[in-house]
Amino acid sequence: MTYAPLPLTYPTQRHPGALWLVSRVPRPREIHEDWAEGRTPAIEIGRRFDVVHLPAEAVEGGIGGVRTDDVIEAAFREAGIAYGVVVTRRRDAYSVLVRAGTARTWVAGKGTRAVGIDDHLRYLRAPHPGRREGPGDFWLLPAPHADEVLAGAVEVRALLAWSGGSPGRGEATVTWGMRPPSA
């Protein structure tokens, strides 16, 4: 016996980014309900994506002049990151959604931290996927709609190198199979 699909109730059930974000959670309707009621639900990290948390100073270090959202967004895009960047409400950190498994090879430095399936506390406070400006948490770059659009460790490393917040200065370095620069 087959049942007719439940009717669409929440606007986010038509949003490609929202559908992708909730595609592997046990109760997606609760997430849609939270977004509809203005709450920021927690979505489990590690099933579909990992997250690399970057302090604002590590991202914005290479930006001269006024650090507007457009300029910061351009820096992410120049590094090859086009989707999946959440800005915290205090604007003190950026959370980059990266390919699942990235956290296992990430070695933290300069305040960066990766969270994946192996972490005990692995949840992302995900703002409404259509929320592209503050106040509150928002998506600096659109919520991803497919696994293929997620950034990898190489792109995050490129962003940090460009911005002057390259991990490893006096701390552990990030290794992704790339040769370290010779001293």
Side-chain angles (χ1 to χ4, degrees), residues 5-40:
L6 293 173
L8 293 175
T9 308
Y10 304 109
T12 51
Q13 289 175 300
R14 297 184 196 272
H15 191 286
L19 294 174
W20 183 85
L21 284 167
V22 302
S23 65
R24 294 194 184 163
V25 299
R27 293 182 292 278
R29 280 183 154 305
E30 290 178 9
I31 305 288
H32 288 292
E33 181 179 311
D34 284 345
W35 283 327
E37 294 180 4
R39 293 188 299 265
T40 306

PDB file of all heavy atoms in Angstrom, residues 5-40:
ATOM      1  N   PRO A   5       1.792  11.562  -0.778  1.00  0.00           N
ATOM      2  CA  PRO A   5       2.721  12.406  -0.043  1.00  0.00           C
ATOM      3  C   PRO A   5       1.974  13.478   0.748  1.00  0.00           C
ATOM      4  O   PRO A   5       0.893  13.915   0.342  1.00  0.00           O
ATOM      5  CB  PRO A   5       3.604  13.023  -1.120  1.00  0.00           C
ATOM      6  CG  PRO A   5       2.834  12.875  -2.387  1.00  0.00           C
ATOM      7  CD  PRO A   5       1.924  11.695  -2.207  1.00  0.00           C
ATOM      8  N   LEU A   6       2.530  13.840   1.855  1.00  0.00           N
ATOM      9  CA  LEU A   6       1.937  14.906   2.657  1.00  0.00           C
ATOM     10  C   LEU A   6       2.010  16.217   1.889  1.00  0.00           C
ATOM     11  O   LEU A   6       2.969  16.463   1.153  1.00  0.00           O
ATOM     12  CB  LEU A   6       2.684  15.041   3.981  1.00  0.00           C
ATOM     13  CG  LEU A   6       2.545  13.856   4.938  1.00  0.00           C
ATOM     14  CD1 LEU A   6       3.470  14.040   6.131  1.00  0.00           C
ATOM     15  CD2 LEU A   6       1.112  13.709   5.404  1.00  0.00           C
ATOM     16  N   PRO A   7       1.023  17.067   2.045  1.00  0.00           N
ATOM     17  CA  PRO A   7       1.047  18.336   1.318  1.00  0.00           C
ATOM     18  C   PRO A   7       2.177  19.222   1.832  1.00  0.00           C
ATOM     19  O   PRO A   7       2.585  19.131   2.994  1.00  0.00           O
ATOM     20  CB  PRO A   7      -0.322  18.948   1.631  1.00  0.00           C
ATOM     21  CG  PRO A   7      -0.747  18.304   2.902  1.00  0.00           C
ATOM     22  CD  PRO A   7      -0.145  16.919   2.894  1.00  0.00           C
ATOM     23  N   LEU A   8       2.674  20.081   0.944  1.00  0.00           N
ATOM     24  CA  LEU A   8       3.694  21.034   1.355  1.00  0.00           C
ATOM     25  C   LEU A   8       3.075  22.011   2.336  1.00  0.00           C
ATOM     26  O   LEU A   8       1.993  22.542   2.100  1.00  0.00           O
ATOM     27  CB  LEU A   8       4.253  21.784   0.148  1.00  0.00           C
ATOM     28  CG  LEU A   8       5.044  20.933  -0.827  1.00  0.00           C
ATOM     29  CD1 LEU A   8       5.436  21.762  -2.041  1.00  0.00           C
ATOM     30  CD2 LEU A   8       6.274  20.373  -0.166  1.00  0.00           C
ATOM     31  N   THR A   9       3.751  22.213   3.429  1.00  0.00           N
ATOM     32  CA  THR A   9       3.217  23.081   4.465  1.00  0.00           C
ATOM     33  C   THR A   9       4.070  24.321   4.667  1.00  0.00           C
ATOM     34  O   THR A   9       3.568  25.377   4.971  1.00  0.00           O
ATOM     35  CB  THR A   9       3.153  22.322   5.808  1.00  0.00           C
ATOM     36  OG1 THR A   9       2.463  21.100   5.589  1.00  0.00           O
ATOM     37  CG2 THR A   9       2.440  23.109   6.859  1.00  0.00           C
ATOM     38  N   TYR A  10       5.376  24.179   4.494  1.00  0.00           N
ATOM     39  CA  TYR A  10       6.299  25.260   4.791  1.00  0.00           C
ATOM     40  C   TYR A  10       6.987  25.725   3.509  1.00  0.00           C
ATOM     41  O   TYR A  10       7.352  24.906   2.664  1.00  0.00           O
ATOM     42  CB  TYR A  10       7.353  24.794   5.798  1.00  0.00           C
ATOM     43  CG  TYR A  10       6.720  24.259   7.059  1.00  0.00           C
ATOM     44  CD1 TYR A  10       6.743  22.907   7.348  1.00  0.00           C
ATOM     45  CD2 TYR A  10       6.072  25.106   7.939  1.00  0.00           C
ATOM     46  CE1 TYR A  10       6.153  22.407   8.498  1.00  0.00           C
ATOM     47  CE2 TYR A  10       5.471  24.623   9.089  1.00  0.00           C
ATOM     48  CZ  TYR A  10       5.516  23.273   9.363  1.00  0.00           C
ATOM     49  OH  TYR A  10       4.917  22.794  10.494  1.00  0.00           O
ATOM     50  N   PRO A  11       7.190  27.040   3.358  1.00  0.00           N
ATOM     51  CA  PRO A  11       7.842  27.552   2.150  1.00  0.00           C
ATOM     52  C   PRO A  11       9.224  26.957   1.902  1.00  0.00           C
ATOM     53  O   PRO A  11       9.626  26.796   0.759  1.00  0.00           O
ATOM     54  CB  PRO A  11       7.941  29.060   2.400  1.00  0.00           C
ATOM     55  CG  PRO A  11       6.941  29.357   3.449  1.00  0.00           C
ATOM     56  CD  PRO A  11       6.791  28.107   4.257  1.00  0.00           C
ATOM     57  N   THR A  12       9.941  26.600   2.956  1.00  0.00           N
ATOM     58  CA  THR A  12      11.290  26.062   2.763  1.00  0.00           C
ATOM     59  C   THR A  12      11.265  24.684   2.114  1.00  0.00           C
ATOM     60  O   THR A  12      12.292  24.208   1.646  1.00  0.00           O
ATOM     61  CB  THR A  12      12.053  25.972   4.101  1.00  0.00           C
ATOM     62  OG1 THR A  12      11.253  25.283   5.061  1.00  0.00           O
ATOM     63  CG2 THR A  12      12.417  27.345   4.615  1.00  0.00           C
ATOM     64  N   GLN A  13      10.105  24.045   2.056  1.00  0.00           N
ATOM     65  CA  GLN A  13      10.021  22.743   1.418  1.00  0.00           C
ATOM     66  C   GLN A  13      10.123  22.854  -0.103  1.00  0.00           C
ATOM     67  O   GLN A  13      10.168  21.848  -0.793  1.00  0.00           O
ATOM     68  CB  GLN A  13       8.734  22.025   1.824  1.00  0.00           C
ATOM     69  CG  GLN A  13       8.795  21.578   3.275  1.00  0.00           C
ATOM     70  CD  GLN A  13       7.505  20.968   3.740  1.00  0.00           C
ATOM     71  OE1 GLN A  13       6.464  21.609   3.726  1.00  0.00           O
ATOM     72  NE2 GLN A  13       7.576  19.714   4.151  1.00  0.00           N
ATOM     73  N   ARG A  14      10.199  24.066  -0.616  1.00  0.00           N
ATOM     74  CA  ARG A  14      10.415  24.300  -2.039  1.00  0.00           C
ATOM     75  C   ARG A  14      11.818  24.853  -2.305  1.00  0.00           C
ATOM     76  O   ARG A  14      12.211  24.990  -3.443  1.00  0.00           O
ATOM     77  CB  ARG A  14       9.392  25.290  -2.586  1.00  0.00           C
ATOM     78  CG  ARG A  14       7.986  24.798  -2.511  1.00  0.00           C
ATOM     79  CD  ARG A  14       7.060  25.831  -3.168  1.00  0.00           C
ATOM     80  NE  ARG A  14       5.684  25.596  -2.814  1.00  0.00           N
ATOM     81  CZ  ARG A  14       4.876  24.797  -3.482  1.00  0.00           C
ATOM     82  NH1 ARG A  14       5.301  24.139  -4.515  1.00  0.00           N
ATOM     83  NH2 ARG A  14       3.629  24.662  -3.108  1.00  0.00           N
ATOM     84  N   HIS A  15      12.554  25.184  -1.271  1.00  0.00           N
ATOM     85  CA  HIS A  15      13.884  25.786  -1.413  1.00  0.00           C
ATOM     86  C   HIS A  15      14.929  24.687  -1.600  1.00  0.00           C
ATOM     87  O   HIS A  15      15.057  23.799  -0.754  1.00  0.00           O
ATOM     88  CB  HIS A  15      14.201  26.608  -0.161  1.00  0.00           C
ATOM     89  CG  HIS A  15      15.394  27.470  -0.286  1.00  0.00           C
ATOM     90  ND1 HIS A  15      16.678  26.970  -0.275  1.00  0.00           N
ATOM     91  CD2 HIS A  15      15.508  28.809  -0.422  1.00  0.00           C
ATOM     92  CE1 HIS A  15      17.526  27.957  -0.397  1.00  0.00           C
ATOM     93  NE2 HIS A  15      16.851  29.087  -0.492  1.00  0.00           N
ATOM     94  N   PRO A  16      15.694  24.697  -2.706  1.00  0.00           N
ATOM     95  CA  PRO A  16      16.664  23.620  -2.955  1.00  0.00           C
ATOM     96  C   PRO A  16      17.707  23.471  -1.841  1.00  0.00           C
ATOM     97  O   PRO A  16      18.066  22.353  -1.473  1.00  0.00           O
ATOM     98  CB  PRO A  16      17.343  24.013  -4.266  1.00  0.00           C
ATOM     99  CG  PRO A  16      16.543  25.126  -4.833  1.00  0.00           C
ATOM    100  CD  PRO A  16      15.686  25.684  -3.764  1.00  0.00           C
ATOM    101  N   GLY A  17      18.176  24.586  -1.280  1.00  0.00           N
ATOM    102  CA  GLY A  17      19.147  24.516  -0.191  1.00  0.00           C
ATOM    103  C   GLY A  17      18.550  23.902   1.061  1.00  0.00           C
ATOM    104  O   GLY A  17      19.189  23.098   1.748  1.00  0.00           O
ATOM    105  N   ALA A  18      17.320  24.256   1.358  1.00  0.00           N
ATOM    106  CA  ALA A  18      16.652  23.694   2.530  1.00  0.00           C
ATOM    107  C   ALA A  18      16.441  22.197   2.362  1.00  0.00           C
ATOM    108  O   ALA A  18      16.684  21.417   3.286  1.00  0.00           O
ATOM    109  CB  ALA A  18      15.314  24.390   2.766  1.00  0.00           C
ATOM    110  N   LEU A  19      16.009  21.796   1.183  1.00  0.00           N
ATOM    111  CA  LEU A  19      15.787  20.374   0.934  1.00  0.00           C
ATOM    112  C   LEU A  19      17.084  19.588   1.069  1.00  0.00           C
ATOM    113  O   LEU A  19      17.105  18.490   1.616  1.00  0.00           O
ATOM    114  CB  LEU A  19      15.175  20.165  -0.449  1.00  0.00           C
ATOM    115  CG  LEU A  19      13.772  20.737  -0.622  1.00  0.00           C
ATOM    116  CD1 LEU A  19      13.311  20.604  -2.063  1.00  0.00           C
ATOM    117  CD2 LEU A  19      12.796  20.056   0.327  1.00  0.00           C
ATOM    118  N   TRP A  20      18.182  20.153   0.576  1.00  0.00           N
ATOM    119  CA  TRP A  20      19.471  19.473   0.680  1.00  0.00           C
ATOM    120  C   TRP A  20      19.913  19.383   2.140  1.00  0.00           C
ATOM    121  O   TRP A  20      20.370  18.339   2.585  1.00  0.00           O
ATOM    122  CB  TRP A  20      20.516  20.214  -0.162  1.00  0.00           C
ATOM    123  CG  TRP A  20      21.834  19.545  -0.157  1.00  0.00           C
ATOM    124  CD1 TRP A  20      22.243  18.522  -0.966  1.00  0.00           C
ATOM    125  CD2 TRP A  20      22.928  19.814   0.721  1.00  0.00           C
ATOM    126  NE1 TRP A  20      23.533  18.152  -0.641  1.00  0.00           N
ATOM    127  CE2 TRP A  20      23.974  18.942   0.390  1.00  0.00           C
ATOM    128  CE3 TRP A  20      23.130  20.738   1.747  1.00  0.00           C
ATOM    129  CZ2 TRP A  20      25.196  18.941   1.042  1.00  0.00           C
ATOM    130  CZ3 TRP A  20      24.352  20.746   2.402  1.00  0.00           C
ATOM    131  CH2 TRP A  20      25.367  19.842   2.041  1.00  0.00           C
ATOM    132  N   LEU A  21      19.770  20.482   2.896  1.00  0.00           N
ATOM    133  CA  LEU A  21      20.205  20.497   4.298  1.00  0.00           C
ATOM    134  C   LEU A  21      19.474  19.460   5.143  1.00  0.00           C
ATOM    135  O   LEU A  21      20.062  18.854   6.027  1.00  0.00           O
ATOM    136  CB  LEU A  21      20.000  21.888   4.914  1.00  0.00           C
ATOM    137  CG  LEU A  21      21.014  22.939   4.512  1.00  0.00           C
ATOM    138  CD1 LEU A  21      20.524  24.325   4.934  1.00  0.00           C
ATOM    139  CD2 LEU A  21      22.368  22.651   5.148  1.00  0.00           C
ATOM    140  N   VAL A  22      18.181  19.267   4.895  1.00  0.00           N
ATOM    141  CA  VAL A  22      17.395  18.358   5.730  1.00  0.00           C
ATOM    142  C   VAL A  22      17.270  16.957   5.149  1.00  0.00           C
ATOM    143  O   VAL A  22      16.613  16.107   5.736  1.00  0.00           O
ATOM    144  CB  VAL A  22      15.983  18.918   6.026  1.00  0.00           C
ATOM    145  CG1 VAL A  22      16.064  20.264   6.704  1.00  0.00           C
ATOM    146  CG2 VAL A  22      15.131  18.982   4.773  1.00  0.00           C
ATOM    147  N   SER A  23      17.918  16.698   4.027  1.00  0.00           N
ATOM    148  CA  SER A  23      17.729  15.419   3.341  1.00  0.00           C
ATOM    149  C   SER A  23      18.215  14.218   4.141  1.00  0.00           C
ATOM    150  O   SER A  23      17.803  13.097   3.860  1.00  0.00           O
ATOM    151  CB  SER A  23      18.401  15.447   1.974  1.00  0.00           C
ATOM    152  OG  SER A  23      19.797  15.567   2.116  1.00  0.00           O
ATOM    153  N   ARG A  24      19.072  14.407   5.118  1.00  0.00           N
ATOM    154  CA  ARG A  24      19.560  13.268   5.904  1.00  0.00           C
ATOM    155  C   ARG A  24      19.294  13.416   7.396  1.00  0.00           C
ATOM    156  O   ARG A  24      19.936  12.763   8.203  1.00  0.00           O
ATOM    157  CB  ARG A  24      21.059  13.082   5.661  1.00  0.00           C
ATOM    158  CG  ARG A  24      21.341  12.663   4.237  1.00  0.00           C
ATOM    159  CD  ARG A  24      22.720  12.154   4.065  1.00  0.00           C
ATOM    160  NE  ARG A  24      22.970  11.843   2.663  1.00  0.00           N
ATOM    161  CZ  ARG A  24      24.157  11.683   2.154  1.00  0.00           C
ATOM    162  NH1 ARG A  24      25.218  11.791   2.907  1.00  0.00           N
ATOM    163  NH2 ARG A  24      24.294  11.400   0.878  1.00  0.00           N
ATOM    164  N   VAL A  25      18.379  14.277   7.756  1.00  0.00           N
ATOM    165  CA  VAL A  25      18.030  14.402   9.169  1.00  0.00           C
ATOM    166  C   VAL A  25      16.820  13.526   9.460  1.00  0.00           C
ATOM    167  O   VAL A  25      15.988  13.286   8.579  1.00  0.00           O
ATOM    168  CB  VAL A  25      17.754  15.877   9.582  1.00  0.00           C
ATOM    169  CG1 VAL A  25      18.979  16.743   9.376  1.00  0.00           C
ATOM    170  CG2 VAL A  25      16.576  16.449   8.854  1.00  0.00           C
ATOM    171  N   PRO A  26      16.710  13.025  10.692  1.00  0.00           N
ATOM    172  CA  PRO A  26      15.610  12.109  11.010  1.00  0.00           C
ATOM    173  C   PRO A  26      14.216  12.734  10.926  1.00  0.00           C
ATOM    174  O   PRO A  26      13.271  12.079  10.535  1.00  0.00           O
ATOM    175  CB  PRO A  26      15.898  11.672  12.449  1.00  0.00           C
ATOM    176  CG  PRO A  26      17.283  12.106  12.752  1.00  0.00           C
ATOM    177  CD  PRO A  26      17.658  13.162  11.779  1.00  0.00           C
ATOM    178  N   ARG A  27      14.084  14.018  11.296  1.00  0.00           N
ATOM    179  CA  ARG A  27      12.766  14.664  11.302  1.00  0.00           C
ATOM    180  C   ARG A  27      12.833  16.011  10.566  1.00  0.00           C
ATOM    181  O   ARG A  27      12.865  17.070  11.194  1.00  0.00           O
ATOM    182  CB  ARG A  27      12.286  14.835  12.731  1.00  0.00           C
ATOM    183  CG  ARG A  27      11.991  13.502  13.429  1.00  0.00           C
ATOM    184  CD  ARG A  27      11.459  13.672  14.829  1.00  0.00           C
ATOM    185  NE  ARG A  27      12.426  14.215  15.757  1.00  0.00           N
ATOM    186  CZ  ARG A  27      13.379  13.520  16.384  1.00  0.00           C
ATOM    187  NH1 ARG A  27      13.483  12.232  16.171  1.00  0.00           N
ATOM    188  NH2 ARG A  27      14.200  14.096  17.219  1.00  0.00           N
ATOM    189  N   PRO A  28      12.835  15.976   9.242  1.00  0.00           N
ATOM    190  CA  PRO A  28      12.979  17.218   8.478  1.00  0.00           C
ATOM    191  C   PRO A  28      11.844  18.214   8.688  1.00  0.00           C
ATOM    192  O   PRO A  28      12.059  19.418   8.649  1.00  0.00           O
ATOM    193  CB  PRO A  28      13.032  16.749   7.025  1.00  0.00           C
ATOM    194  CG  PRO A  28      12.478  15.373   7.025  1.00  0.00           C
ATOM    195  CD  PRO A  28      12.721  14.808   8.389  1.00  0.00           C
ATOM    196  N   ARG A  29      10.635  17.719   8.950  1.00  0.00           N
ATOM    197  CA  ARG A  29       9.512  18.642   9.144  1.00  0.00           C
ATOM    198  C   ARG A  29       9.746  19.562  10.345  1.00  0.00           C
ATOM    199  O   ARG A  29       9.323  20.710  10.331  1.00  0.00           O
ATOM    200  CB  ARG A  29       8.206  17.879   9.319  1.00  0.00           C
ATOM    201  CG  ARG A  29       7.606  17.410   7.997  1.00  0.00           C
ATOM    202  CD  ARG A  29       6.285  16.737   8.294  1.00  0.00           C
ATOM    203  NE  ARG A  29       5.279  16.698   7.300  1.00  0.00           N
ATOM    204  CZ  ARG A  29       4.745  17.694   6.629  1.00  0.00           C
ATOM    205  NH1 ARG A  29       5.157  18.889   6.787  1.00  0.00           N
ATOM    206  NH2 ARG A  29       3.770  17.507   5.765  1.00  0.00           N
ATOM    207  N   GLU A  30      10.423  19.066  11.380  1.00  0.00           N
ATOM    208  CA  GLU A  30      10.713  19.907  12.548  1.00  0.00           C
ATOM    209  C   GLU A  30      11.656  21.043  12.183  1.00  0.00           C
ATOM    210  O   GLU A  30      11.509  22.161  12.675  1.00  0.00           O
ATOM    211  CB  GLU A  30      11.294  19.069  13.678  1.00  0.00           C
ATOM    212  CG  GLU A  30      10.286  18.135  14.301  1.00  0.00           C
ATOM    213  CD  GLU A  30      10.883  17.275  15.401  1.00  0.00           C
ATOM    214  OE1 GLU A  30      12.042  17.509  15.814  1.00  0.00           O
ATOM    215  OE2 GLU A  30      10.169  16.363  15.862  1.00  0.00           O
ATOM    216  N   ILE A  31      12.609  20.760  11.319  1.00  0.00           N
ATOM    217  CA  ILE A  31      13.541  21.796  10.869  1.00  0.00           C
ATOM    218  C   ILE A  31      12.784  22.849  10.061  1.00  0.00           C
ATOM    219  O   ILE A  31      12.939  24.057  10.282  1.00  0.00           O
ATOM    220  CB  ILE A  31      14.679  21.188  10.008  1.00  0.00           C
ATOM    221  CG1 ILE A  31      15.409  20.073  10.755  1.00  0.00           C
ATOM    222  CG2 ILE A  31      15.626  22.275   9.520  1.00  0.00           C
ATOM    223  CD1 ILE A  31      16.288  20.487  11.874  1.00  0.00           C
ATOM    224  N   HIS A  32      11.924  22.403   9.136  1.00  0.00           N
ATOM    225  CA  HIS A  32      11.122  23.337   8.340  1.00  0.00           C
ATOM    226  C   HIS A  32      10.219  24.180   9.250  1.00  0.00           C
ATOM    227  O   HIS A  32      10.058  25.378   9.026  1.00  0.00           O
ATOM    228  CB  HIS A  32      10.264  22.586   7.314  1.00  0.00           C
ATOM    229  CG  HIS A  32      11.045  22.012   6.183  1.00  0.00           C
ATOM    230  ND1 HIS A  32      11.673  22.781   5.223  1.00  0.00           N
ATOM    231  CD2 HIS A  32      11.308  20.722   5.841  1.00  0.00           C
ATOM    232  CE1 HIS A  32      12.284  22.002   4.345  1.00  0.00           C
ATOM    233  NE2 HIS A  32      12.082  20.749   4.697  1.00  0.00           N
ATOM    234  N   GLU A  33       9.661  23.558  10.262  1.00  0.00           N
ATOM    235  CA  GLU A  33       8.802  24.278  11.199  1.00  0.00           C
ATOM    236  C   GLU A  33       9.597  25.341  11.952  1.00  0.00           C
ATOM    237  O   GLU A  33       9.128  26.475  12.121  1.00  0.00           O
ATOM    238  CB  GLU A  33       8.170  23.295  12.190  1.00  0.00           C
ATOM    239  CG  GLU A  33       7.233  23.945  13.181  1.00  0.00           C
ATOM    240  CD  GLU A  33       6.620  22.918  14.121  1.00  0.00           C
ATOM    241  OE1 GLU A  33       6.115  21.889  13.629  1.00  0.00           O
ATOM    242  OE2 GLU A  33       6.666  23.154  15.335  1.00  0.00           O
ATOM    243  N   ASP A  34      10.785  24.993  12.406  1.00  0.00           N
ATOM    244  CA  ASP A  34      11.627  25.972  13.104  1.00  0.00           C
ATOM    245  C   ASP A  34      11.914  27.173  12.208  1.00  0.00           C
ATOM    246  O   ASP A  34      11.805  28.324  12.647  1.00  0.00           O
ATOM    247  CB  ASP A  34      12.948  25.337  13.549  1.00  0.00           C
ATOM    248  CG  ASP A  34      12.786  24.443  14.763  1.00  0.00           C
ATOM    249  OD1 ASP A  34      11.737  24.512  15.435  1.00  0.00           O
ATOM    250  OD2 ASP A  34      13.724  23.669  15.048  1.00  0.00           O
ATOM    251  N   TRP A  35      12.289  26.918  10.947  1.00  0.00           N
ATOM    252  CA  TRP A  35      12.564  28.025  10.033  1.00  0.00           C
ATOM    253  C   TRP A  35      11.313  28.873   9.821  1.00  0.00           C
ATOM    254  O   TRP A  35      11.387  30.096   9.808  1.00  0.00           O
ATOM    255  CB  TRP A  35      13.066  27.500   8.690  1.00  0.00           C
ATOM    256  CG  TRP A  35      14.492  27.056   8.692  1.00  0.00           C
ATOM    257  CD1 TRP A  35      15.514  27.576   9.422  1.00  0.00           C
ATOM    258  CD2 TRP A  35      15.061  26.012   7.907  1.00  0.00           C
ATOM    259  NE1 TRP A  35      16.681  26.922   9.140  1.00  0.00           N
ATOM    260  CE2 TRP A  35      16.434  25.953   8.205  1.00  0.00           C
ATOM    261  CE3 TRP A  35      14.540  25.123   6.975  1.00  0.00           C
ATOM    262  CZ2 TRP A  35      17.296  25.049   7.605  1.00  0.00           C
ATOM    263  CZ3 TRP A  35      15.403  24.221   6.373  1.00  0.00           C
ATOM    264  CH2 TRP A  35      16.766  24.186   6.690  1.00  0.00           C
ATOM    265  N   ALA A  36      10.161  28.237   9.678  1.00  0.00           N
ATOM    266  CA  ALA A  36       8.915  28.961   9.447  1.00  0.00           C
ATOM    267  C   ALA A  36       8.548  29.846  10.627  1.00  0.00           C
ATOM    268  O   ALA A  36       7.950  30.906  10.452  1.00  0.00           O
ATOM    269  CB  ALA A  36       7.776  27.985   9.146  1.00  0.00           C
ATOM    270  N   GLU A  37       8.928  29.425  11.832  1.00  0.00           N
ATOM    271  CA  GLU A  37       8.591  30.185  13.031  1.00  0.00           C
ATOM    272  C   GLU A  37       9.726  31.105  13.487  1.00  0.00           C
ATOM    273  O   GLU A  37       9.678  31.655  14.578  1.00  0.00           O
ATOM    274  CB  GLU A  37       8.180  29.229  14.139  1.00  0.00           C
ATOM    275  CG  GLU A  37       6.883  28.508  13.796  1.00  0.00           C
ATOM    276  CD  GLU A  37       6.434  27.543  14.870  1.00  0.00           C
ATOM    277  OE1 GLU A  37       7.081  27.461  15.933  1.00  0.00           O
ATOM    278  OE2 GLU A  37       5.422  26.868  14.632  1.00  0.00           O
ATOM    279  N   GLY A  38      10.743  31.269  12.631  1.00  0.00           N
ATOM    280  CA  GLY A  38      11.812  32.216  12.928  1.00  0.00           C
ATOM    281  C   GLY A  38      12.911  31.698  13.835  1.00  0.00           C
ATOM    282  O   GLY A  38      13.753  32.473  14.286  1.00  0.00           O
ATOM    283  N   ARG A  39      12.915  30.416  14.110  1.00  0.00           N
ATOM    284  CA  ARG A  39      13.976  29.844  14.948  1.00  0.00           C
ATOM    285  C   ARG A  39      15.122  29.357  14.077  1.00  0.00           C
ATOM    286  O   ARG A  39      14.968  29.152  12.876  1.00  0.00           O
ATOM    287  CB  ARG A  39      13.422  28.695  15.781  1.00  0.00           C
ATOM    288  CG  ARG A  39      12.401  29.140  16.827  1.00  0.00           C
ATOM    289  CD  ARG A  39      12.008  28.017  17.760  1.00  0.00           C
ATOM    290  NE  ARG A  39      11.389  26.890  17.084  1.00  0.00           N
ATOM    291  CZ  ARG A  39      10.079  26.710  16.946  1.00  0.00           C
ATOM    292  NH1 ARG A  39       9.249  27.605  17.434  1.00  0.00           N
ATOM    293  NH2 ARG A  39       9.602  25.645  16.344  1.00  0.00           N
ATOM    294  N   THR A  40      16.278  29.166  14.702  1.00  0.00           N
ATOM    295  CA  THR A  40      17.460  28.655  14.010  1.00  0.00           C
ATOM    296  C   THR A  40      17.716  27.246  14.513  1.00  0.00           C
ATOM    297  O   THR A  40      18.294  27.054  15.577  1.00  0.00           O
ATOM    298  CB  THR A  40      18.677  29.559  14.292  1.00  0.00           C
ATOM    299  OG1 THR A  40      18.332  30.900  13.948  1.00  0.00           O
ATOM    300  CG2 THR A  40      19.879  29.134  13.483  1.00  0.00           C
TER     301      THR A  40
END
